[in-house]
């Protein structure tokens, strides 16, 4: 059978049907025998591939093969793009890449589907979480899809340009430098007040305390960014020490109760069963702090963000709850590096770093629930002892 559909109903978005191996080989042969078409494929300076009407790979250039570690195009024949690059969500549904709920917001799938429907060139940016080690598994690509017809066969030529470095620079410019300048501005204002004004002893002491807190924040911002860059490159070496769930929560609460992002908002401690942990206490505080900061940014004034911890047979689970609920479109993209609901692109780095640090370096698991009327709860489940392979 040359055209056997695979679970035609098992899709949340794009059609799940696939062409069989005989038809795929015929499509590839027809494309490769067109010397102009195959020469154009290799002429692309970026990763490029040719897809059939079922979004399956028929041919790929050498840059694409090298990027995914394939010796020849036979290994990719019949796969869909997400399956070829190792997308975390490519196997969410039996139909594979393009059929899962997360695929609805995938720039690559949307570009290919629109190109097949309109036969017009389409460009989209795509954020991918992959099984790869590079950049913590996060890849940002710009997808260009162009309809071509070879021997009466409708095909889509897809070029993928890696824009991860560009997106990382935008994160630095719009998040790190933005937060750093805000905190530095606060330090300068308090310093001016101390120098130029005659303050009573109580006001003078309060200003000095604020100055100290802002100075600590600026050090934390720099350390956080440095750790993230090291984590993405694989250079981060966690240091396991003995700590407790209560100590971790108390440390985070002490920072964010007086943080600028908590203005007119409350940071509270819920149920905490104190448990001993052998983990990297600094990275744990960073993970919980990012979740708290994101929650505070997401809720209106007057709302409360609550931290809790529970002991279980497999370890300790930390939870950060806020009363808001995320739209489904946001939920599907929340752990992607450059996704954000805020006006400044790149503000979604917090949840991405939480997953990277907790899962890859602390040996835990991260997830969330966001439903009415319960609100949103992010959880971080950690083993009682950090795996040896992640510890220095």
């Amino acid at each position: 059978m040359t055209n056997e559909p695979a679970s035609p109903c098992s899709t949340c978005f794009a059609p799940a049907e696939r062409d069989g191996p005989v038809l795929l080989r015929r499509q590839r042969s027809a494309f490769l025998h067109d010397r102009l078409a195959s020469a154009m494929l290799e002429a692309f300076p970026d990763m490029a591939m040719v897809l059939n009407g079922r979004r399956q790979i028929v041919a790929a250039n050498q840059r694409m093969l090298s990027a995914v570690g394939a010796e020849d195009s036979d290994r990719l024949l019949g796969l869909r793009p997400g399956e070829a690059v190792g997308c975390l969500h490519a196997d969410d549904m039996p139909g594979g890449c393009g059929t899962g709920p997360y695929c609805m917001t995938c720039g690559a799938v949307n570009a290919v589907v629109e190109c097949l429907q309109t036969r017009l060139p389409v460009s989209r940016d795509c954020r991918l979480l992959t099984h790869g080690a590079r950049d913590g598994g996060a890849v940002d690509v710009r997808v260009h899809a162009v309809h071509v017809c070879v021997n009466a066969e409708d095909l889509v030529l897809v070029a993928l340009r890696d824009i991860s470095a560009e997106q990382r620079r935008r994160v630095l410019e719009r998040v790190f430098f933005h937060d750093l300048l805000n905190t530095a501005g606060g330090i300068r204002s308090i310093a001016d007040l101390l120098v130029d004004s005659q303050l009573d002893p109580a006001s003078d002491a309060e200003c000095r305390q604020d100055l100290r807190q802002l100075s600590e924040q600026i050090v934390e911002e720099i350390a956080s960014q440095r750790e993230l860059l090291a984590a993405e490159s694989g250079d981060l070496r966690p240091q396991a020490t003995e700590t407790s769930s209560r100590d971790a929560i108390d440390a985070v609460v002490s920072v964010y109760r007086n943080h600028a992002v908590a203005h007119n908002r409350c940071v509270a401690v819920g149920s905490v069963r104190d448990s001993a942990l052998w983990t990297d206490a600094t990275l744990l505080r960073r993970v919980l702090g990012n979740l708290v900061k994101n929650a505070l940014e997401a809720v209106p004034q007057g709302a409360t963000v609550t931290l809790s911890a529970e002991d279980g047979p497999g370890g300790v689970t930390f939870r950060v709850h806020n009363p808001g609920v995320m739209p489904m479109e946001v939920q599907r993209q929340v752990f992607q590096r450059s996704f954000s609901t805020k006006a400044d692109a790149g503000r979604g780095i917090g949840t991405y770093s939480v997953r990277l640090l907790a899962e890859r370096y602390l040996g835990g698991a991260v997830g969330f629930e966001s439903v009415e009327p319960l609100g949103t709860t992010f959880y971080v489940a950690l083993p009682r002892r950090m795996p040896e392979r992640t510890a220095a």
Side-chain angles (χ1 to χ4, degrees):
M1 184 177 294
T2 61
N3 191 0
E4 183 179 354
S7 304
C9 296
S10 59
T11 182
C12 294
F13 184 50
E17 295 90 343
R18 296 179 188 252
D19 287 335
V22 174
L23 182 55
L24 284 166
R25 284 194 291 270
R26 193 168 72 208
Q27 291 167 346
R28 180 178 66 176
S29 177
F31 178 83
L32 295 179
H33 276 81
D34 189 311
R35 293 186 177 181
L36 178 59
S38 57
M40 287 177 57
L41 180 63
E42 285 299 335
F44 270 88
D46 305 309
M47 298 176 289
M49 54 189 154
V50 177
L51 309 183
N52 65 9
R54 308 283 196 186
R55 310 184 316 282
Q56 294 170 269
I57 298 175
V58 173
N61 67 2
Q62 190 58 49
R63 291 174 182 83
M64 180 72 185
L65 297 178
S66 298
V68 300
E71 295 181 0
D72 54 55
S73 58
D74 283 345
R75 180 178 165 187
L76 301 186
L77 184 65
L79 297 180
R80 287 177 173 151
E83 297 154 5
V85 301
C87 174
L88 285 178
H89 299 294
D91 299 323
D92 284 357
M93 294 284 285
C97 170
T99 65
Y102 288 90
C103 302
M104 297 178 187
T105 55
C106 173
V109 177
N110 277 277
V112 173
V113 170
E114 184 177 341
C115 183
L116 284 169
Q117 291 173 345
T118 66
R119 298 192 174 188
L120 297 175
V122 180
S123 295
R124 294 280 187 277
D125 284 352
C126 179
R127 295 176 293 269
L128 289 172
L129 288 175
T130 74
H131 296 283
R134 177 176 173 265
D135 288 350
V139 181
D140 295 278
V141 294
R142 184 153 294 146
V143 182
H144 300 283
V146 180
H147 175 266
V148 293
C149 187
V150 177
N151 290 339
E153 185 81 35
D154 286 322
L155 304 172
V156 178
L157 179 58
V158 179
L160 306 176
R161 173 163 295 180
D162 190 339
I163 57 171
S164 299
E166 175 186 332
Q167 294 294 73
R168 188 183 296 107
R169 186 180 66 250
R170 292 178 67 191
V171 168
L172 279 169
E173 293 172 351
R174 299 194 180 208
V175 181
F176 178 58
F177 293 148
H178 175 272
D179 292 346
L180 206 63
L181 284 172
N182 279 349
T183 308
I187 291 175
R188 184 173 64 181
S189 297
I190 295 175
D192 289 342
L193 191 62
L194 289 170
V195 171
D196 299 334
S197 302
Q198 296 295 326
L199 301 176
D200 60 78
S203 298
D204 183 83
E206 184 178 351
C207 282
R208 291 176 185 275
Q209 181 61 29
D210 290 343
L211 191 63
R212 180 175 182 176
Q213 289 178 351
L214 287 172
S215 299
E216 290 174 350
Q217 284 181 31
I218 214 167
V219 171
E220 279 292 302
E221 292 288 350
I222 295 171
S224 177
Q225 188 62 39
R226 183 177 62 183
E227 285 172 359
L228 178 58
L229 292 174
E232 287 191 316
S233 65
D235 294 329
L236 185 62
R237 296 293 180 264
Q239 302 289 335
T241 58
E242 188 173 7
T243 186
S244 72
S245 52
R246 169 62 72 176
D247 288 344
I249 285 181
D250 286 346
V252 172
V253 169
S254 67
V255 171
Y256 283 94
R257 269 184 175 158
N258 300 309
H259 199 284
V261 76
H263 180 65
N264 288 336
R265 298 168 178 85
C266 180
V267 180
V269 178
S271 174
V272 177
R273 182 178 176 182
D274 200 13
S275 303
L277 287 167
W278 184 261
T279 191
D280 189 306
T282 300
L283 292 186
L284 175 56
R285 290 195 296 270
R286 188 83 65 218
V287 165
L288 297 179
N290 278 335
L291 289 179
V292 170
K293 184 178 181 182
N294 274 22
L296 289 168
E297 291 175 335
V299 298
Q301 293 189 9
T304 297
V305 172
T306 305
L307 287 84
S308 61
E310 62 185 42
D311 198 18
V316 179
T317 299
F318 296 88
R319 301 185 190 277
V320 177
H321 172 268
N322 77 77
V325 174
M326 296 183 291
M328 187 55 66
E329 182 179 356
V330 174
Q331 294 186 37
R332 295 188 184 111
Q333 304 176 78
V334 70
F335 288 117
Q336 294 175 346
R337 177 169 54 194
S338 55
F339 172 73
S340 177
T341 59
K342 305 178 184 70
D344 289 336
R347 299 286 296 180
I349 195 72
T351 50
Y352 159 71
S353 67
V354 164
R355 170 169 276 183
L356 174 62
L357 295 176
E359 295 188 350
R360 184 161 294 190
Y361 290 94
L362 299 183
V366 176
F368 68 90
E369 296 175 344
S370 186
V371 293
E372 294 281 6
L374 301 178
T376 298
T377 301
F378 279 84
Y379 69 83
V380 180
L382 297 180
R384 235 174 287 282
R385 178 172 289 271
M386 189 172 72
E388 290 294 332
R389 59 182 173 80
T390 65

